[in-house]
Amino acid sequence: MSALIGELEKLPTVGPKTAARLAFYLLSASKEDVEALSRALLDLKAKVRFCSRCYSLTEADPCSICSDARRDGSLICVVGEAKDVYAIERTMSYRGRYHVLGGLISPIEGVGVEQLKIAELVERVRKDGVTEAIIATNPNAEGESTALYLARLLAPLNVKVTRLAYGLPFGGDLDYADEVTLTRALEGRRAL
Ligand SMILES: [Zn+2]
């Protein structure tokens, strides 16, 4: 029990009190539920990998979004991290596809264009009939400079480049935005 509490405490936003509460909850949960949770945890490391098209996280390659024929392939939403895909999916207001860069351009942290899936993005825009690229990088310094870089890079490719209109304070994180704010940001996107 104390080993479990110790492990739970390592999770973000979980303090000692919450860790103990979760451990006691799991103790009272059914054997099936606890087994399902353990399996999901083990599968996370064993099965989850990057989608070879959009570089989001997936268990099947290509991911369910890339392989869903009902999604609009002419619309591509460019995000920094895979968790941003989940944030936008939670709004249920976006029907296009995604491209995960795997980070943002950050000279301070030594992240340059070469480390990100930018060449792959250009390739997709060129070949997949993309008509609009929505740059949904975080509203902070790295997100802004990455967005401007991508806008310049994509400009000659005959694609409309837009940026989310944030109802968020500058410096925020896409992942923390609530669904309504994110939906508004998507709807109010502006040309870059
Ligand atoms: Zn994918």
Side-chain angles (χ1 to χ4, degrees):
M1 186 94 175
S2 61
L4 175 62
I5 293 174
E7 291 308 314
L8 290 169
E9 265 187 62
K10 293 180 189 169
L11 299 173
T13 78
V14 177
K17 259 191 204 167
T18 306
R21 205 175 298 144
L22 288 171
F24 278 103
Y25 167 79
L26 290 169
L27 193 63
S28 67
S30 73
K31 193 163 178 277
E32 290 73 30
D33 281 352
V34 174
E35 276 170 0
L37 176 65
S38 331
R39 255 196 315 279
L41 285 170
L42 292 171
D43 284 354
L44 186 68
K45 278 309 201 184
K47 293 186 186 165
V48 176
R49 61 199 129 142
F50 291 108
C51 171
S52 60
R53 291 190 197 167
C54 71
Y55 302 98
S56 184
L57 294 170
T58 182
E59 288 186 22
D61 188 22
C63 73
S64 58
I65 295 174
C66 285
S67 55
D68 185 348
R70 292 164 301 177
R71 308 280 306 210
D72 182 357
S74 71
L75 210 56
I76 199 166
C77 182
V78 182
V79 296
E81 308 283 348
K83 67 185 166 80
D84 302 327
V85 171
Y86 292 89
I88 293 173
E89 282 299 288
R90 281 200 300 270
T91 69
M92 305 214 289
S93 59
Y94 178 67
R95 298 300 302 156
R97 298 226 163 95
Y98 293 93
H99 189 87
V100 181
L101 297 170
L104 299 169
I105 298 169
S106 171
I108 296 166
E109 286 171 39
V111 182
V113 172
E114 317 74 46
Q115 280 107 306
L116 304 173
K117 301 291 182 196
I118 289 178
E120 291 82 350
L121 170 66
V122 172
E123 188 75 1
R124 286 183 74 193
V125 169
R126 274 213 179 100
K127 289 189 176 164
D128 296 355
V130 175
T131 57
E132 182 180 353
I134 305 166
I135 314 296
T137 48
N138 285 334
N140 56 27
E142 288 83 14
E144 285 300 316
S145 52
T146 305
L148 290 174
Y149 177 83
L150 292 176
R152 277 201 300 270
L153 191 70
L154 298 174
L157 298 180
N158 198 23
V159 60
K160 189 171 154 195
V161 182
T162 55
R163 177 99 172 101
L164 292 193
Y166 289 100
L168 293 171
F170 187 80
D173 194 311
L174 204 70
D175 190 37
Y176 296 143
D178 64 273
E179 285 76 17
V180 175
T181 306
L182 254 182
T183 299
R184 285 205 190 118
L186 262 169
E187 286 167 351
R189 63 187 183 266
R190 56 188 163 75
L192 266 180

